[in-house]
Amino acid sequence: MRRGGIAVRLFLTTDSIGGVWHYSVMLAEQLTACGAAVRLGVIGRAPSPIQIAELSALENIDSVPVNAPFDWLAGSEASLAATRREIRASAAEWGADLIQINQPAFAGERYSIPSIAMAHSCVETWWRETKGAPAPDNWSWHRNAVRNGLRGADATVAPSAAFAAHLQKTYGLPKSPQVIRNGVRKPRYRGIKQPHVLSAGRAWDESKNLALLDRAAPLIDWPVYVAGARIRPEDGWQAQFNNVRCLGELGSMAMAREYAIAPIFISPSLYEPFGLAIAEAAHAGAALVLSDIATFRELWSDAALFFDPGNPADAARQTNRLIRDEALLARQSRAARQRVEQYTIDRTANEMHALYRCILAGRHPEKVPA
């Protein structure tokens, strides 16, 4: 990417679970389309066949496995340190001039080239928002690693102001991380809206609060569909539901089709640093019904209906307001679609590139454009 006169050769870490993968692939696609060289370093579980096919369909995006567990499954500082060495070696072998680490626990040392810690989530903030209490002491190794990563990187980034403030408070950071919001592509499908409600997220993840949606579903006039993995990777536990219809884990193309036909998208999350699925649903014309948490208020105020995430009857009541009032449904759909124009992947890529340029200019002044 040579905007501003600086070519970027970016080593971008990712993992194969949930939003980090989706964010990384979209960002890499946008950056390479503008001339940047990007290599994805895939940490943890190997990408699924669906993810491999998705990556293969994109031009000029290289990937390499980083032989290491997910950061929250590493179990110790020693294991995290070994992964940092893997990242450093992979980036050096490829000739990267910048590393963006999407798991701040791996950013806790000085790399030989500039590094950016992009915080999409972490164990400590997950516990505080999901459980209402700090993580237990046996997670201190991870808490310390994230703190060191956020303090040690050349720049730190969060996808929302609410999450940035949470990170600063939780880890005692001297300043708030820079806010660069995630973004999504334009919809790739158009479909006829069908009478059902859609939700999406890791069904095994307690923070997604899909158990509440399962209790709310019998009170909602339309059937409720949920897309997302049900099996927890660390122990194989599978989430069970009685009332929602599970679609399973879908690739990005299949999800685009689901967004295209869903008139309403609901998220009962207790913890969400951004929420890419919500933005994609809004872009496809869905009206939004969201849990009343700080991130969603920041991103979707006046463009969604909100409910108490501890009250399934309230979730059903807000959803039924849209189902029973076509004019309200149409207004809320337009409002969400207008708001999501602020959350596009090209905007994200432009802001990230401005950050890359700033960092590279500081570290390599010979590359600063005239």
Side-chain angles (χ1 to χ4, degrees):
M1 195 171 199
R2 196 171 279 280
R3 295 175 186 171
I6 299 178
V8 173
R9 193 169 176 84
L10 176 69
F11 190 86
L12 181 65
T13 71
T14 188
D15 62 50
S16 57
I17 290 183
V20 173
W21 172 268
H22 198 34
Y23 163 86
S24 302
V25 170
M26 287 193 296
L27 179 62
E29 181 183 20
Q30 190 67 27
L31 291 171
T32 54
C34 298
V38 181
R39 170 170 279 190
L40 295 177
V42 184
I43 296 170
R45 184 189 70 182
S48 68
I50 292 173
Q51 291 170 324
I52 292 172
E54 177 187 9
L55 203 57
S56 299
L58 303 176
E59 296 181 356
N60 303 319
I61 297 179
D62 188 17
S63 69
V64 63
V66 176
N67 298 314
F70 299 118
D71 59 301
W72 77 94
L73 296 180
S76 69
E77 170 55 32
S79 179
L80 291 172
T83 301
R84 294 184 200 113
R85 289 193 292 274
E86 287 273 347
I87 294 171
R88 186 169 55 234
S90 293
E93 183 273 334
W94 185 62
D97 54 21
L98 185 68
I99 304 176
Q100 180 177 328
I101 300 171
N102 285 310
Q103 306 84 357
F106 294 133
E109 69 178 34
R110 303 298 284 180
Y111 286 88
S112 57
I113 56 177
S115 64
I116 296 170
M118 174 75 200
H120 297 277
S121 67
C122 69
V123 172
E124 184 64 34
T125 55
W126 183 96
W127 267 85
R128 292 182 183 222
E129 292 298 303
T130 305
K131 302 283 193 179
D137 289 344
N138 60 341
W139 283 103
S140 62
W141 61 273
H142 192 274
R143 181 166 50 243
N144 293 337
V146 173
R147 178 184 294 112
N148 292 338
L150 294 172
R151 287 175 173 268
D154 293 279
T156 60
V157 180
S160 65
F163 189 53
H166 199 181
L167 289 169
Q168 184 179 20
K169 180 179 179 181
T170 298
Y171 293 105
L173 304 178
K175 64 178 183 178
S176 176
Q178 181 174 343
V179 177
I180 297 180
R181 289 177 172 140
N182 290 351
V184 295
R185 305 181 181 104
K186 292 183 178 179
R188 288 174 287 179
Y189 292 95
R190 294 189 181 277
I192 299 173
K193 297 296 186 184
Q194 306 293 321
H196 67 263
V197 177
L198 179 66
S199 189
R202 296 180 298 272
W204 51 265
D205 185 340
E206 187 179 344
S207 75
K208 300 303 180 187
N209 201 21
L210 292 174
L212 177 131
L213 186 57
D214 196 48
R215 297 196 297 275
L219 306 175
I220 296 175
D221 294 348
W222 287 349
V224 179
Y225 297 168
V226 173
R230 297 172 62 187
I231 298 176
R232 192 161 54 197
E234 60 262 44
D235 59 8
W237 176 80
Q238 179 169 306
Q240 301 294 330
F241 300 100
N242 297 315
N243 303 306
V244 300
R245 302 181 186 181
C246 294
L247 300 174
E249 186 174 10
L250 303 177
S252 62
M253 303 290 273
M255 277 306 308
R257 296 187 186 97
E258 294 299 329
Y259 293 135
I261 63 172
I264 299 172
F265 187 90
I266 183 169
S267 173
S269 288
L270 302 169
Y271 168 75
E272 198 69 77
F274 184 81
L276 279 173
I278 298 164
E280 293 195 312
H283 225 329
L288 304 177
V289 185
L290 306 176
S291 53
D292 194 355
I293 61 175
T295 304
F296 291 163
R297 281 286 181 183
E298 171 195 338
L299 298 175
W300 301 103
S301 181
D302 301 324
L305 301 184
F306 294 91
F307 63 91
D308 176 355
N311 187 338
D314 194 28
R317 183 178 67 83
Q318 295 291 6
T319 307
N320 287 335
R321 286 181 60 198
L322 295 172
I323 294 172
R324 297 169 185 175
D325 185 338
E326 289 187 12
L328 177 62
L329 178 61
R331 285 199 303 274
Q332 290 300 120
S333 171
R334 285 195 300 272
R337 190 177 294 185
Q338 290 170 358
R339 180 63 52 82
V340 81
E341 292 298 331
Q342 300 177 23
Y343 313 138
T344 60
I345 191 60
D346 57 340
R347 181 170 180 168
T348 302
N350 286 338
E351 293 183 10
M352 290 303 301
H353 179 259
L355 179 61
Y356 304 154
R357 186 175 60 186
C358 177
I359 291 173
L360 289 175
R363 288 299 187 98
H364 304 287
E366 69 275 13
K367 294 185 177 180
V368 177

